[in-house]
Amino acid sequence: VITALAYTEAARPPDEEHPWGHGKIESIGATAVAAILLYVAASMGWDSLATLGLMVRARHGAKEQQPAQAGGDEVAKMLREGRLARRAAIALTIVSVMLKEALFTSTLAVGEREHSNLVVANAWHQRSDALAAGAALASQLGASYGHNFLDPLGSGVVASMLAHSAFESLRESLRDLTDYNAASGGRGEQSRCGG
């Protein structure tokens, strides 16, 4: 929604109040998208660390309570149903990763062709969805082999990748908003300081 609104507003032609156009609105939208992605990354990272901490404490001291045992036939039935559900979830997650990655690729191409930081930021949001689905796939595969720690570990990896891409997008958007010129080599700072 942010992307669509900002992109539409930025495309408006110049008017009396904005003789140079509305292009900076796109960078404001990209900054908002990057801020949302940073929040999501921080939340995912925190949850990942908290869950890993709980798993470590549970493994090294706390006694786990065993659930009540069901009859042998019920257990066999639950295991069969669980395997079927797990296989279905794995298959759907594979399809999800492929679709999200295709959406990332096409959105990034449009953003680069149109020189739109906002659309590029939105593409990286699509990539984060693909990475999250990939982490879910890894955790599902790991859980099917008894490696439950892969779920929070994968979430932490996705959080760090998401934070990196959000910081890059935020940096580019802020540079555009402040009319940063990398070719100046900091000369603007010297002239303001009298040096």
Side-chain angles (χ1 to χ4, degrees), residues 99-113:
L99 290 174
K100 290 171 191 279
E101 192 61 24
L103 187 56
F104 161 73
T105 303
S106 62
T107 305
L108 184 63
V110 169
E112 289 175 346
R113 183 181 69 235

Side-chain angles (χ1 to χ4, degrees), residues 3-167:
T3 303
L5 290 174
Y7 192 75
T8 301
E9 286 298 310
R12 288 184 18 207
D15 55 31
E16 285 185 27
E17 292 180 9
H18 307 94
W20 290 279
H22 300 86
K24 297 289 183 186
I25 293 173
E26 184 176 333
S27 293
I28 292 170
T31 301
V33 170
I36 291 168
L37 291 176
L38 282 173
Y39 172 77
V40 170
S43 296
M44 285 175 64
W46 180 260
D47 287 344
S48 173
L49 288 173
T51 303
L52 284 170
L54 288 173
M55 292 175 106
V56 167
R57 280 193 296 276
R59 183 176 179 131
H60 292 293
K63 293 181 181 178
E64 296 181 24
Q65 296 179 355
Q66 296 294 325
Q69 291 292 325
D73 290 339
E74 285 184 49
V75 170
K77 182 180 176 187
M78 288 184 338
L79 289 174
R80 280 193 305 274
E81 289 173 357
R83 272 190 242 124
L84 179 61
R86 191 175 303 122
R87 287 179 184 153
I90 289 170
L92 288 173
T93 305
I94 289 170
V95 170
S96 176
V97 168
M98 292 187 317
L99 290 174
K100 290 171 191 279
E101 192 61 24
L103 187 56
F104 161 73
T105 303
S106 62
T107 305
L108 184 63
V110 169
E112 289 175 346
R113 183 181 69 235
E114 298 294 324
H115 303 290
S116 170
N117 286 340
L118 177 62
V119 176
V120 169
N122 194 46
W124 282 104
H125 173 74
Q126 303 301 334
R127 169 57 66 85
S128 73
D129 287 349
L131 291 172
L137 177 61
S139 68
Q140 290 167 2
L141 290 170
S144 69
Y145 290 103
H147 303 293
N148 295 326
F149 69 92
L150 288 176
D151 187 22
L153 188 62
S155 179
V157 169
V158 170
S160 65
M161 295 171 96
L162 180 57
H164 174 74
S165 66
F167 273 122

